[in-house]
Amino acid sequence: MKPYIFITRKLPNDVVRPLLEKFEVKMWMYEDQTVPREILLAEAAKADALLTMLTDKVDEALLKTGKKLKVVANMAVGYDNVDIQAASREGIAICNTPDVLTDTTADLTFALLMATARRMVEAAEFVKDGKWQSWSPFLLAGQDIHHKTIGIVGMGKIGQAVAKRATGFDMNILYHNRSKNQEAEKELGAIYTSFDKLLRSSDFIVCLTPLTKETRHLFTREAFRKMKPSAIFVNASRGPVVDEQALYDALVSGEIAGAGLDVFDKEPIGQDHPLLKLSNVVALPHIGSATIESRTGMMRLCVENIEAILEGRPPKTLVNKDWQPGRGATL
Ligand code: DGY
């Protein structure tokens, strides 16, 4: 019997063709709807491999259900939706999609910073709403980006790619990370600082840290209070890294000047969410890596990782490095 693979969204046939040719494959029928939990559990129970999205909860219950499950390839670099320890205990390989999205996500993050600083969304709406009466000295005046200080929280590959873009704008680059990033320091002139100093000194605070137990609600009320009143906060990592009520209060009270948000505590964010009523908030629907090229690259990487594990080869991008093949998987 051929190994069985379940893919939790509708992906293009030409991208999943290598799997279709060798294995039995079923795809969830919608591109824009999450597979219901009961269906995911039922599929996991039968599957040798799952290709999941960041919207799927790959918890211990699901991993235990998958008696034949050998690999979960999660189509995201972030894997906070996956219980990594449980996967290792169960002998299931977890793979993610780093590298292929680094520059794309950095482009979007920097674009979001620029759009927020220069009030681009507000300005575009102003024109389309027919409100433009005349050129005027301070019409929709924003803040300079060049020669300012950017503070990057989470200096992994994407953080470093954002820092590289910042050098083109002659920015001073501060960063805070679990460990020092020597390459960013040497090649980009980035300076490591404490979280506290970064908050107090940066004009732009850019959050790119993964969501973990340690980073959940890292941006508290106190954190926003430490920022300059002119500061702009940008989040392109995960929503729960921020206390959203505290962010809202900071924006309304003028403790900070604006926010560019690609991610939210609950996604999709409701249209009536208070943050969306603020003109100093630019909100995007979690599209950091959303270019045709990057998303296709992420899909292909998932496909390659699944093929590798089911054919007894090491995967390209394994998350749980302590993985010991279980459930019939071999290396
Ligand atoms: C990721 O990969 O983790 C992004 O959030 C989605 O592309």
Side-chain angles (χ1 to χ4, degrees):
M1 223 168 71
K2 286 182 183 174
Y4 177 65
I5 302 165
F6 182 65
I7 303 177
T8 67
R9 291 290 169 112
K10 177 139 188 44
L11 304 185
N13 274 340
D14 64 316
V15 178
V16 295
R17 192 161 323 277
L19 299 180
L20 295 172
E21 281 166 1
K22 289 187 258 186
F23 308 111
E24 192 189 334
V25 180
K26 185 167 160 192
M27 270 193 274
W28 176 236
M29 60 196 114
Y30 302 108
E31 196 198 313
D32 59 353
Q33 276 178 40
T34 310
V35 60
R37 175 78 178 168
E38 356 32 289
I39 296 181
L40 183 56
L41 284 173
E43 291 295 343
K46 301 186 281 187
D48 292 274
L50 292 175
L51 196 165
T52 55
M53 308 294 130
L54 54 82
T55 45
D56 301 313
K57 195 167 171 200
V58 183
D59 56 5
E60 183 158 25
L62 182 137
L63 293 164
K64 281 202 154 131
T65 306
K67 298 285 178 244
K68 296 196 304 174
L69 193 58
K70 297 164 189 60
V71 53
V72 177
N74 196 46
M75 199 186 124
V77 66
Y79 42 82
D80 46 281
N81 60 314
V82 182
D83 186 336
I84 301 297
Q85 279 83 29
S88 292
R89 279 198 299 275
E90 297 296 319
I92 299 169
I94 303 297
C95 300
N96 68 339
T97 61
D99 307 322
V100 288
L101 47 56
T102 300
D103 284 317
T104 301
T105 309
D107 285 349
L108 188 282
T109 306
F110 209 83
L112 184 53
L113 181 157
M114 294 184 76
T116 313
R118 297 301 305 268
R119 303 173 63 185
M120 288 171 69
V121 174
E122 216 185 326
E125 277 166 6
F126 182 83
V127 175
K128 286 195 176 173
D129 290 347
K131 292 186 182 155
W132 191 15
Q133 301 295 326
S134 111
W135 182 93
S136 54
F138 281 118
L139 176 65
L140 287 154
Q143 296 188 35
D144 274 336
I145 297 157
H146 63 88
H147 297 96
K148 294 277 186 79
T149 298
I150 185 171
I152 299 174
V153 179
M155 191 59 116
K157 289 180 184 163
I158 301 173
Q160 191 171 328
V162 169
K164 187 172 174 190
R165 282 146 183 78
T167 61
F169 287 75
D170 299 313
M171 297 179 93
N172 305 314
I173 304 166
L174 303 179
Y175 78 98
H176 183 74
N177 201 43
R178 266 177 315 179
S179 51
K180 290 202 178 180
N181 183 329
Q182 306 291 356
E183 195 176 278
E185 295 192 9
K186 233 167 91 191
E187 287 176 16
L188 307 169
I191 299 169
Y192 178 87
T193 60
S194 67
F195 185 55
D196 193 82
K197 181 152 184 240
L198 182 145
L199 298 177
R200 293 182 196 280
S201 321
S202 302
D203 299 299
F204 300 95
I205 294 99
V206 177
C207 174
L208 286 162
T209 185
L211 174 62
T212 62
K213 276 202 291 293
E214 292 73 35
T215 63
R216 186 172 289 275
H217 280 202
L218 176 68
F219 289 91
T220 54
R221 201 166 285 284
E222 289 66 43
F224 290 114
R225 276 202 191 118
K226 288 175 186 165
M227 294 180 191
K228 300 180 185 181
S230 56
I232 286 179
F233 175 71
V234 175
N235 189 8
S237 69
R238 288 291 184 267
V241 169
V242 176
D243 174 347
E244 261 176 15
Q245 183 62 49
L247 170 62
Y248 174 82
D249 293 342
L251 286 160
V252 169
S253 66
E255 267 166 13
I256 67 170
L261 307 170
D262 184 41
V263 289
F264 299 89
D265 202 12
K266 283 213 171 54
E267 296 182 1
I269 188 170
Q271 200 190 356
D272 52 358
H273 193 287
L275 275 172
L276 303 188
K277 309 280 178 243
L278 303 180
S279 59
N280 52 352
V281 168
V282 176
L284 301 178
H286 201 150
I287 55 165
S289 62
T291 62
I292 309 286
E293 295 93 328
S294 275
R295 288 284 162 88
T296 306
M298 292 161 74
M299 291 171 199
R300 288 197 201 285
L301 186 50
C302 289
V303 165
E304 285 173 36
N305 281 324
I306 290 175
E307 275 184 289
I309 297 275
L310 295 185
E311 292 175 349
R313 287 177 280 113
K316 279 193 163 168
T317 51
L318 181 68
V319 173
N320 48 343
K321 305 279 189 243
D322 59 346
W323 169 66
Q324 297 289 334
R327 296 163 177 188
T330 49
L331 268 192

